[in-house]
Amino acid sequence: MSDVIFELKNVKKWFPARRNLGQLLSGERKWIKAVDGVSLKIKRGEIFGLIGESGCGKTTTGKLIMKLMEPSDGQIIFNGEDVTHLDKERLGQYKRNVQMIFQDPYASMNPRFRAVDVLTEPLEIHGIGKSKAEREELAAKALEAVKLTPPEDFLGRYAHMLSGGQRQRLATARTLILSPDFIVADEPVSMIDLSTRAEILHMMKEVQQSMGLTYLYITHDLSTARYFTDRIAVMYLGKIVEMGYADDLIDKAKHPYTKALISAVCEPVSGKVNQSKEVPIKGEIPSAANIPEGCRFHPRCLYAKPECMQGEDPELQEVENGHYVACIRYKEIEEMGTSWR
Ligand code: SF4
């Protein structure tokens, strides 16, 4: 069996932009390039972090992997099988293997459902368990796996009777109950109390290790990503600009955008602001309907030179073992000693 569970090959998701009268009359088309050529490989059994500011395309990438939308171009491979376009039957099998944990577990649960209903519903949908009693037994086991114990204390509770952390545990239990291979966790702790975040991530990691799962962890928060993930890809305006092993990427960031993100990070445990030298970033993220020519980061990059503003957008290239960067000046920047540390 290949050690790669997921592969995205030049995946794009473009949405048609609203047109003004002039564009309508001239027939001009504009596209919002939410995901604009993402290629990556996720290894079996790892936690892969996808990081970036809001609007960078990371959630759309998660939705493409979840098959909640079809890509405009490119290929998605899961367990060696091309799953870019699936018929209804294969989609059902796929959705059993690839599950999602949402940012807001409360919004993703029917308020009239007790925990036992939340957990047994996917089993009924997928025809798992011969009887109600068997399904309830599986529900109790799933609660034990996420440490909502004793399960009989929780099975009869409604979501509003649980704390934020307990709800996220229940949401995790619901994804586990179908024994998936792969879980997309989209900002799973961003709506949880700061004091409970580490606890929930720790629980998710324990479950991942004991069940041999693979996670895609989508977040804007590099501080949790460092402690939670094995590898990280940094996304900017629909493309990956840097990718590498978590510690390596954060300790030896090469792309000016990654450096800028890191400079603003708070230590997750102490909550202290990173005291390292700040690497600034100019302005706001541009619209995905107007991606700049040349390197798409150039209008915000303090190291931009004329050669960055023309020609092709730099491609990701491996510059050290397992460390990839999309910047034509990364070496010069390194030699200038402009590391934020
Ligand atoms: Fe900045 Fe140029 Fe590197 Fe782009 S290619 S990140 S503009 S230095």
Side-chain angles (χ1 to χ4, degrees), residues 51 220-223 226 232 234 242 246-267 272-279 281 323 339-341:
I51 315 284
H220 66 281
D221 181 4
L222 257 171
S223 60
R226 174 173 198 148
I232 293 174
V234 178
E242 188 158 8
D247 282 344
D248 207 30
L249 184 131
I250 291 174
D251 290 336
K252 295 189 218 157
K254 297 182 187 306
H255 196 282
Y257 178 62
T258 313
K259 292 183 182 216
L261 282 184
I262 291 167
S263 70
V265 158
C266 287
E267 291 296 330
K272 265 188 347 210
V273 173
N274 192 337
Q275 295 298 311
S276 53
K277 185 181 168 199
E278 188 156 319
V279 177
I281 187 168
H323 196 149
S339 162
W340 75 101
R341 286 198 185 277

Side-chain angles (χ1 to χ4, degrees), residues 144-323:
E144 274 170 0
V146 298
K147 309 264 169 19
L148 281 178
T149 53
E152 50 278 14
D153 281 5
F154 291 93
L155 283 167
R157 292 200 205 172
Y158 293 91
H160 72 264
M161 297 161 81
L162 301 172
S163 68
Q166 288 171 334
R167 272 182 218 146
Q168 201 50 287
R169 284 176 193 269
L170 176 59
T172 306
R174 183 174 55 184
T175 62
L176 297 177
I177 206 153
L178 292 173
S179 305
D181 291 329
F182 190 88
I183 292 179
V184 176
D186 188 0
E187 302 273 17
V189 292
S190 64
M191 294 185 76
I192 295 174
D193 211 69
L194 204 60
S195 59
T196 321
R197 283 182 194 176
E199 210 181 280
I200 296 295
L201 289 176
H202 185 70
M203 175 276 294
M204 287 176 65
K205 202 162 192 165
E206 265 186 6
V207 166
Q208 180 257 343
Q209 284 168 349
S210 66
M211 299 177 85
L213 299 169
T214 309
Y215 286 157
L216 172 66
Y217 176 61
I218 298 174
T219 185
H220 66 281
D221 181 4
L222 257 171
S223 60
T224 58
R226 174 173 198 148
Y227 291 96
F228 188 57
T229 65
D230 298 301
R231 289 192 301 142
I232 293 174
V234 178
M235 250 186 120
Y236 181 77
L237 211 53
K239 271 194 115 166
I240 292 174
V241 296
E242 188 158 8
M243 181 161 66
Y245 293 100
D247 282 344
D248 207 30
L249 184 131
I250 291 174
D251 290 336
K252 295 189 218 157
K254 297 182 187 306
H255 196 282
Y257 178 62
T258 313
K259 292 183 182 216
L261 282 184
I262 291 167
S263 70
V265 158
C266 287
E267 291 296 330
V269 181
S270 65
K272 265 188 347 210
V273 173
N274 192 337
Q275 295 298 311
S276 53
K277 185 181 168 199
E278 188 156 319
V279 177
I281 187 168
K282 295 188 282 182
E284 296 291 314
I285 190 165
S287 159
N290 284 306
I291 292 182
E293 289 285 310
C295 171
R296 64 188 60 208
F297 185 58
H298 86 252
R300 301 180 77 191
C301 182
L302 287 195
Y303 307 101
K305 291 269 184 197
E307 63 264 32
C308 302
M309 301 169 197
Q310 56 213 10
E312 296 290 314
D313 200 4
E315 287 299 327
L316 265 188
Q317 52 168 321
E318 189 169 13
V319 294
E320 274 169 26
N321 188 24
H323 196 149

